[in-house]
């Protein structure tokens, strides 16, 4: 009787330790431009309006990254992550562990920080917090997305003298992206690739014309004549992301 | 017996299952130097809105090390011909600059303005072109390139002075020998103590000073699209007033990356033409004491500096996109806005810092 009790306890321990079947997911963002890998300055890309552009900065803060099950319950991958396509130490990939094995109907994340996350300034969070890698400007708080570059406008020959500066931020420009699956997470290492098509930021449902001064920059200042540029960029984000192959 | 064997296997299996779920433990902490006999000195950050003091376990500060570093900083003994010291260019009354357009080293005039070493503990990388990452590396570089430092000659000279022999022993413990590494460590310890944190603007953060209307308006210009200063001269919520990054701020006109008069960061990394013409963002603290301004010291006054950003931006291939108003020549600030911006900049002056006797020449 004593032996049976011991066996039952041990079996229960084994089952409880293994039933979770957690694994790792490497969430990898690839920046593309008109379906090709985005090349940064000094390389150039040509946009849908024939402007030739050198991109110099592209990074964003992600938050509330989660996989969504059929019953709408979620497996959270991370509260916050940071992706920088230019600086190699933040290569656009994030490794998440303890992800339950299973089939999910969608990947969901937000570009930017929710108001609670945005409220904590860098002096109030740990040194290893991904927010430490992002820019923080007092009045704006965290920069959600930073895109910078230079353009030689179509039908001009003056060189790359149209400067492009797009900084989105503030609570009202927080946007949640849902990418439908199915997404299968197996035991072992998983790579989940997400494409970010930069061209669609400017040629999405709310297009922008970078030859116009007020559409060639924004710092998300709500009183600025360029504020609609920050809104359009934020609203075009859903279209720009897709699950990769 | 069979029962025990089966039970043992089950127990082992359970233990293995658990062990696979355990996170890895942290690395073992580094041990301190067993020979250390100095009096520990703790550098503390001035307040909540300052970055944490970085890890200094590679060069623990001691009271004796700082005292030694201060002496070495002001003593021309380290220069090859005993003609100049660190303080020749980094004078404490000028917030550790020299008020000259271009600095002069042992070889003659250089092509760059002396950068301040105030608050270096939070500045990384260092030098206008960012060629060094740590204060220790910077001291090594500056000793070699500015003072034509010869280690064996300097050590010989120092060894003949009893006060140094004694102080090296007190600062670094046994065996008490004088080495180039200890020289650089002592200098670095002294430099780390040079913290400026008591300007009017700092006091305003703690309710001990109220900005005037003009100063407050200047800060608003600084922090908004109107002045657009915040992109480069902000370090998150911290009061460093530099992003510690490199920018081409439209100061130099150049038709090609090879035409910059000073390639800046490009001289440190010549294979990367993307960084040609870019310079480390300097802090804005103590501008009243650190004129002239920019890497080439081209502007003698804050009025000239602000006029440049207002009306004189110049195009070049690596100009920073943040200089967005380049296409119209600059910010086009009006007279009142310029005055307000300068009023704000002057709130970053810290008289207590430039008059602090703990930074002055110990030989006088």
């Amino acid at each position: 009787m004593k032996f049976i009790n011991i066996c039952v306890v041990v079996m229960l321990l084994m089952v409880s330790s293994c039933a979770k079947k957690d694994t790792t997911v490497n969430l990898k963002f690839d920046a593309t431009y008109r379906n090709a890998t985005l090349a940064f300055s000094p390389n150039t890309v040509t946009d849908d309006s024939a402007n030739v552009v050198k991109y110099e900065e592209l990074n964003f803060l992600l938050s509330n990254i989660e996989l969504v099950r059929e019953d709408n319950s979620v497996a959270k991958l991370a509260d916050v992550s940071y992706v920088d396509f230019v600086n190699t130490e933040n290569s656009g990939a994030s490794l998440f562990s303890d992800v339950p094995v299973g089939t999910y109907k969608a990947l969901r994340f937000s570009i930017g920080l929710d108001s609670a996350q945005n409220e904590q300034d860098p002096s109030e969070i740990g040194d290893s917090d991904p927010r430490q890698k992002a820019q923080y400007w007092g009045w704006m708080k965290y920069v959600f997305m930073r895109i910078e570059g230079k353009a030689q406008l179509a039908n001009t020959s003056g060189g790359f003298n149209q400067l492009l500066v797009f900084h989105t931020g503030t609570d009202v420009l927080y946007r949640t992206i849902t990418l439908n699956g199915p997404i299968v997470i197996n035991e072992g290492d998983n790579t989940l690739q997400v494409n970010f098509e930069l061209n669609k930021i400017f040629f999405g449902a709310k297009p922008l014309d970078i030859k116009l001064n007020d559409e060639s920059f924004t710092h998300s200042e709500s009183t600025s004549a360029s504020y609609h540029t920050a809104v359009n960029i934020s609203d075009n984000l859903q279209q720009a992301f897709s699950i990769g192959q | 017996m069979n029962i025990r064997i089966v039970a043992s296997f089950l127990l082992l299996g359970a233990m293995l299952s658990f062990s696979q779920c355990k996170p890895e433990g942290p690395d073992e902490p580094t041990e301190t130097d067993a020979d250390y006999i100095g009096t520990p000195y703790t550098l503390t950050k001035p307040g909540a809105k300052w970055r944490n003091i970085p890890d200094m376990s590679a060069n623990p500060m001691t009271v004796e090390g700082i005292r030694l570093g201060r002496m070495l900083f002001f003593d021309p003994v380290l220069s090859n011909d005993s003609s100049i010291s660190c303080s020749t260019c980094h004078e404490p009354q000028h917030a550790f600059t020299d008020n000259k357009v271009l600095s002069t080293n042992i070889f003659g005039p250089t092509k760059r303005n002396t950068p301040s070493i105030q608050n270096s503990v939070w500045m990384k990388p260092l030098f206008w072109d960012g060629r060094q990452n740590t204060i220790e590396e910077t001291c090594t570089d500056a000793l070699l390139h500015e003072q034509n430092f010869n280690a064996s000659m300097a050590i010989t000279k120092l060894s003949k002075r009893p006060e140094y022999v004694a102080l090296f022993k007190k600062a670094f413990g046994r065996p008490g020998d004088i080495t180039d590494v200890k020289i650089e460590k002592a200098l670095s310890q002294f430099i780390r103590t040079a913290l400026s944190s008591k300007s009017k603007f700092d006091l305003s953060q703690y309710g001990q000073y109220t900005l005037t209307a003009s100063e407050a308006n200047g800060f608003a210009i600084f922090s908004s699209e109107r002045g657009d200063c915040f992109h480069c001269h902000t370090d998150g919520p911290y009061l460093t007033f530099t992003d510690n990054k490199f920018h081409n701020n439209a100061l130099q006109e150049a038709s090609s990356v090879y035409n910059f008069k000073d390639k800046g960061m490009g001289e440190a990394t010549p294979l990367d033409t993307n960084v040609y013409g870019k310079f480390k963002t300097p802090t804005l603290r103590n501008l009243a004491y650190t004129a002239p301004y920019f890497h080439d010291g081209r502007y003698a006054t804050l009025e000239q500096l602000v006029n440049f950003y207002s009306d004189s931006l110049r195009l070049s291939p690596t100009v920073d996109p943040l200089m967005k108003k380049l296409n119209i020549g600059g910010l086009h600030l009006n007279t009142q806005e310029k005055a307000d911006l300068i009023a704000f900049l002057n709130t970053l002056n810290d008289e207590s810092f430039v008059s602090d006797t703990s930074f002055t020449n110990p030989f006088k």
Side-chain angles (χ1 to χ4, degrees):
Chain A
M1 189 63 185
K2 190 178 176 185
F3 166 70
I4 292 171
N5 285 342
I6 290 170
C7 285
V8 168
V9 169
V10 170
M11 289 297 286
L12 280 171
L13 285 170
M14 288 178 70
V15 168
S16 67
S17 65
C18 296
K20 206 174 161 189
K21 283 188 181 174
D22 290 348
T23 187
T24 59
V25 173
N26 185 20
L27 182 61
K28 186 173 182 297
F29 284 86
D30 287 337
T32 61
Y33 202 85
R34 300 177 85 182
N35 299 319
T37 298
L38 174 60
F40 289 94
S41 178
N43 298 304
T44 61
V45 292
T46 304
D47 73 13
D48 289 358
S49 296
N51 302 306
V52 183
V53 186
K54 290 179 182 177
Y55 283 102
E56 299 180 7
E57 293 277 356
L58 176 58
N59 57 60
F60 46 75
L61 270 169
L62 295 154
S63 65
N64 302 312
I65 308 164
E66 50 199 19
L67 289 163
V68 186
R69 299 186 185 91
E70 277 299 332
D71 64 359
N72 291 324
S73 65
V74 298
K76 183 164 259 190
L77 302 187
D79 289 328
V80 183
S81 187
Y82 176 72
V83 174
D84 186 334
F85 294 100
V86 177
N87 297 305
T88 51
E89 63 266 31
N90 306 299
S91 59
S94 299
L95 187 65
F96 301 111
S97 56
D98 301 329
V99 181
V101 167
T103 299
Y104 298 87
K105 71 173 182 180
L107 170 68
R108 189 162 65 201
F109 57 86
S110 298
I111 295 296
L113 303 172
D114 62 41
S115 58
Q117 294 165 333
N118 205 18
E119 196 58 39
Q120 294 177 302
D121 82 32
S123 68
E124 299 169 319
I125 58 177
D127 289 345
S128 61
D129 191 300
R131 285 173 284 184
Q132 295 286 8
K133 296 176 181 172
Q135 289 74 41
Y136 181 93
W137 294 317
W139 58 270
M140 179 183 178
K141 299 178 184 172
Y142 290 92
V143 178
F144 292 173
M145 172 172 272
R146 182 169 183 163
I147 306 169
E148 294 172 15
K150 302 184 185 84
Q152 177 170 295
L153 297 176
N155 304 315
T156 66
S157 56
F160 290 84
N161 55 13
Q162 179 71 326
L163 305 182
L164 307 174
V165 184
F166 306 102
H167 300 152
T168 68
T170 70
D171 292 350
V172 295
L173 295 179
Y174 176 74
R175 293 291 183 275
T176 297
I177 312 298
T178 302
L179 303 178
N180 291 323
I183 297 164
V184 179
I185 303 299
N186 296 309
E187 289 187 58
D189 297 333
N190 295 268
T191 296
L192 185 51
Q193 185 186 318
V194 175
N195 290 338
F196 175 65
E197 173 57 55
L198 181 57
N199 189 50
K200 288 186 179 173
I201 289 292
F202 303 101
F203 296 93
K206 292 186 173 180
L208 294 163
D209 185 350
I210 62 167
K211 72 173 179 291
L212 303 175
N213 185 58
D214 287 340
E215 297 190 0
S216 65
F217 84 101
T218 178
H219 307 303
S220 304
E221 268 191 44
S222 60
T223 55
S224 169
S226 70
Y227 182 64
H228 69 283
T229 300
V231 175
N232 286 13
I233 286 174
S234 303
D235 289 345
N236 287 337
L237 283 170
Q238 174 70 54
Q239 279 181 277
F241 286 99
S242 62
I243 298 283
Q245 298 302 313
Chain B
M1 186 65 179
N2 286 342
I3 291 170
R4 283 184 187 165
I5 291 170
V6 171
S8 298
F9 272 111
L10 286 170
L11 195 59
L12 183 63
M15 288 171 72
L16 284 172
S17 299
F18 278 119
S19 67
Q20 286 170 348
C21 301
K22 279 185 180 176
E24 287 185 18
D27 293 332
E28 289 292 317
T30 308
E31 290 184 6
T32 54
D33 184 354
D35 283 329
Y36 180 72
I37 58 168
T39 310
Y41 180 90
T42 303
L43 195 65
T44 53
K45 65 177 186 176
K49 293 300 179 191
W50 289 85
R51 284 189 177 276
N52 291 330
I53 302 293
D55 173 40
M56 290 189 289
S57 56
N59 183 13
M61 295 175 75
T62 63
V63 172
E64 295 81 3
I66 294 164
R67 180 150 35 112
L68 173 61
R70 182 180 174 191
M71 288 169 65
L72 293 170
F73 189 87
F74 286 91
D75 195 332
V77 68
L78 297 181
S79 60
N80 193 289
D81 61 359
S82 298
S83 63
I84 63 170
S85 69
C86 307
S87 67
T88 303
C89 297
H90 299 289
E91 302 169 310
Q93 70 272 28
H94 296 130
F96 291 96
T97 65
D98 57 7
N99 281 175
K100 294 175 181 161
V101 174
L102 302 174
S103 66
T104 299
N105 63 24
I106 199 168
F107 308 105
T110 73
K111 65 178 182 180
R112 291 189 183 145
N113 180 259
T114 300
S116 174
I117 59 170
Q118 61 183 312
N119 295 355
S120 292
V121 71
W122 295 291
M123 308 296 176
K124 181 183 175 183
L126 293 137
F127 285 118
W128 284 108
D129 54 16
R131 64 181 182 269
Q132 299 298 348
N133 262 322
T134 67
I135 298 175
E136 282 78 2
E137 290 169 351
T138 302
C139 289
T140 305
D141 187 309
L143 283 173
L144 187 64
H145 296 110
E146 315 300 343
Q147 302 190 40
N148 198 20
F149 177 72
N150 179 308
S152 61
M153 188 185 294
I155 291 166
T156 300
K157 287 192 281 185
L158 290 168
S159 300
K160 291 176 181 171
R161 293 171 60 175
E163 73 272 29
Y164 277 118
V165 173
L167 202 44
F168 269 93
K169 204 169 287 180
K170 285 181 181 173
F172 295 105
R174 294 185 299 272
D177 55 332
I178 298 174
T179 68
D180 53 347
V181 172
K182 289 178 181 174
I183 291 169
E184 288 142 13
K185 282 188 171 183
L187 285 169
S188 302
Q189 289 186 33
F190 171 66
I191 289 168
R192 285 194 171 96
T193 64
L195 305 184
S196 173
S197 64
K198 297 184 179 67
S199 68
K200 283 182 182 175
F201 187 80
D202 295 315
L203 298 178
S204 76
Q205 300 296 298
Y206 306 109
Q208 296 169 13
Y209 176 77
T210 302
L211 298 180
T212 66
S214 176
E215 291 165 349
N217 191 45
F219 182 52
I221 293 168
F222 174 92
S223 307
S224 66
E225 280 179 17
R226 187 70 192 102
D228 223 1
C229 316
F230 68 94
H231 278 113
C232 303
H233 289 288
T234 297
D235 178 22
Y238 306 109
L239 300 171
T240 326
F241 290 96
T242 169
D243 61 356
N244 275 321
K245 295 183 188 300
F246 297 82
H247 302 277
N248 174 345
N249 65 341
L251 191 66
Q252 299 185 85
E253 188 164 6
S255 57
S256 133
V257 291
Y258 302 105
N259 291 344
F260 286 113
K261 187 177 178 186
D262 187 337
K263 293 183 178 62
M265 194 181 183
E267 298 200 353
T269 52
L271 296 180
D272 185 1
T273 56
N274 263 341
V275 303
Y276 279 38
K278 295 185 180 181
F279 294 87
K280 170 84 184 285
T281 308
T283 179
L284 298 178
R285 286 185 169 273
N286 291 308
L287 290 174
Y289 313 109
T290 61
Y293 308 109
F294 291 130
H295 70 274
D296 54 5
R298 68 176 62 190
Y299 295 128
T301 67
L302 286 179
E303 285 75 13
Q304 291 173 336
L305 181 148
V306 170
N307 283 339
F308 156 72
Y309 284 114
S310 180
D311 305 303
S312 303
L313 303 184
R314 302 172 180 98
L315 182 63
S316 63
T318 60
V319 71
D320 201 303
L322 296 172
M323 308 307 295
K324 179 59 190 162
K325 298 290 172 58
L326 173 70
N327 59 345
I328 55 170
L331 300 162
H332 297 316
L333 301 173
N334 63 39
T335 304
Q336 186 60 52
E337 287 172 321
K338 290 178 184 176
D340 292 346
L341 187 54
I342 290 170
F344 162 67
L345 293 174
N346 278 320
T347 68
L348 300 175
N349 300 327
D350 179 357
E351 192 179 346
S352 70
F353 177 69
V354 296
S355 58
D356 190 331
T357 54
S358 59
F359 303 138
T360 54
N361 189 336
F363 300 106
K364 289 183 178 174

